[in-house]
């Protein structure tokens, strides 16, 4: 293995330093008082109800508090996710939970129409998903990190990535982490968002998913929020990987 040179270490440090001023700008901007000069359209794309909330809930609340429009795009309604219920019953229950969570985060839920447990990644599905994302006309998109143990999370990442390529890489693309260590792996963040002010709403939105045993899954995200906060010098944070070929125009949380 090649030894790290001083230059390598400096460029690594610069990467983190470059990300932090984005947070400072947002901290100084008025929250919920004046609408931003340019409202961003932010899309957070997840596989199941509860994924965008756990990976990005604090960040979603930060954007909506700043007056930006956030759409939460669920690939499925989590139809396979409740033991003893039919797909139809579970889908209905989890749709209600997702709508409640989005209300708490002040986001708009959209369902992409695939079925949890039967998710397909085909040319036709790529095309279908591209049309849905294109119709949202996003300035900024967040989705799952593709190295994840859950097949539907990987599918979401691929569908979004393919749409991003076909749409000409015209918006910045960020990846979020879920249940790191158990689900996401090899996740080395490039950007952090300070969620100290919104973490209580993130928690409430995650607990809206009562059918998913939130005590169990949120325990891990509570640790992650604190660890990522510690890592970037804040109390609580969410961490992201920015695709290096993203355009720079829409800067996350610049206010
Ligand atoms: Zn999931």
């Amino acid at each position: 293995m090649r030894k790290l040179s001083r230059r390598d270490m400096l460029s690594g440090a610069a990467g983190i330093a470059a990300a932090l001023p984005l947070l400072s700008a947002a901290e100084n901007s008025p929250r919920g008082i004046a609408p931003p000069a340019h409202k961003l359209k932010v899309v957070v794309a997840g596989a199941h109800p509860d994924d965008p909330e756990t990976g990005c809930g604090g960040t979603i609340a930060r954007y909506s508090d700043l007056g930006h429009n956030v759409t939460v795009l669920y690939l499925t309604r989590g139809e396979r996710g409740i033991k003893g219920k039919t797909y139809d019953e579970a889908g209905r229950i989890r749709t209600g939970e997702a709508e409640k969570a989005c209300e708490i985060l002040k986001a708009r839920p959209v369902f992409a129409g695939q079925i949890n447990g039967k998710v397909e990644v085909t040319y036709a599905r790529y095309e279908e998903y591209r049309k849905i994302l294109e119709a949202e006309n996003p300035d900024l998109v967040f989705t799952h990190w593709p190295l994840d143990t859950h097949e539907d999370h990987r599918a979401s990442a691929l569908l979004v990535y393919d749409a991003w390529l076909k749409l000409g890489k015209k918006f910045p693309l960020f990846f979020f982490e879920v249940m790191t260590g158990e689900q996401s792996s090899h996740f080395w963040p490039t950007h952090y968002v300070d969620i100290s002010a919104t973490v209580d709403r993130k928690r409430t939105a995650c607990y809206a998913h009562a059918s998913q045993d939130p005590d169990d899954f949120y325990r891990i995200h509570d640790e992650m929020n604190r660890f990522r906060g510690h890592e970037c010098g804040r109390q609580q944070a969410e961490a992201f990987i920015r695709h290096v070929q993203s355009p720079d125009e829409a800067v996350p949380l610049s206010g």
Side-chain angles (χ1 to χ4, degrees):
M1 195 174 82
R2 187 171 70 93
K3 265 189 168 178
L4 269 184
S5 70
R6 184 176 142 72
R7 191 159 170 268
D8 288 335
M9 287 192 281
L10 282 175
S11 66
I16 292 172
L20 288 176
L22 305 183
L23 302 178
S24 304
E27 310 269 21
N28 295 328
S29 68
R31 286 189 196 145
I33 300 168
H38 169 56
K39 275 196 184 192
L40 293 175
K41 177 63 177 290
V42 180
V43 173
V44 180
H48 314 114
D50 80 12
D51 290 324
E53 296 88 331
T54 50
C56 267
T59 301
I60 293 171
R62 288 287 309 275
Y63 276 112
S64 54
D65 286 355
L66 287 165
H68 300 297
N69 296 316
V70 186
T71 294
V72 176
L73 178 55
Y74 299 100
L75 181 62
T76 75
R77 294 173 188 265
E79 291 88 342
R80 195 176 59 173
I82 307 179
K83 272 207 178 99
K85 300 277 184 201
T86 65
Y87 275 27
D88 277 353
E89 288 167 341
R92 263 197 303 279
I93 292 167
R94 299 196 66 189
T95 298
E97 292 172 348
E99 287 168 349
K100 199 166 148 193
C102 283
E103 203 179 312
I104 293 161
L105 299 173
K106 292 189 278 179
R108 182 175 68 100
V110 172
F111 295 88
Q114 289 228 39
I115 307 292
N116 173 208
K118 301 176 182 174
V119 166
E120 299 170 349
V121 180
T122 62
Y123 286 108
R125 291 296 193 180
Y126 278 137
E127 176 74 2
E128 173 189 73
Y129 200 85
R130 179 190 59 72
K131 285 181 183 159
I132 294 169
L133 201 57
E134 190 172 23
E136 291 294 324
N137 194 21
D139 293 300
L140 184 62
V141 173
F142 294 87
T143 192
H144 286 277
W145 176 242
L147 297 181
D148 190 294
T149 53
H150 200 300
E151 50 276 73
D152 294 355
H153 297 178
R154 297 196 296 270
S156 278
L158 290 179
L159 290 164
V160 173
Y161 177 64
D162 187 77
W164 183 68
L165 294 176
K166 302 256 168 66
L167 294 171
K169 305 178 191 171
K170 65 182 180 189
F171 47 82
L173 178 60
F174 286 83
F175 299 95
F176 60 76
E177 55 179 340
V178 289
M179 308 267 283
T180 291
E182 291 189 23
Q183 293 191 329
S184 300
S185 63
H186 277 262
F187 192 92
W188 316 121
T190 59
H191 287 69
Y192 297 85
V193 170
D194 184 345
I195 61 161
S196 309
T198 54
V199 73
D200 289 344
R201 266 163 66 212
K202 171 177 181 169
R203 186 178 189 283
T204 309
C206 289
Y207 271 78
H209 297 280
S211 70
Q212 301 304 298
D213 191 3
D215 277 341
D216 185 52
F217 75 76
Y218 196 75
R219 178 180 50 81
I220 295 168
H221 278 273
D222 188 37
E223 275 181 35
M224 287 163 61
N225 297 337
R226 290 171 203 282
F227 175 74
R228 294 306 189 194
H230 191 63
E231 203 170 40
C232 71
R234 306 297 166 110
Q235 285 190 338
Q236 310 231 15
E238 285 168 346
F240 302 97
I241 294 174
R242 174 185 177 275
H243 195 293
V244 71
Q245 294 172 358
S246 293
D248 289 329
E249 296 87 57
V251 178
L253 289 174
S254 62

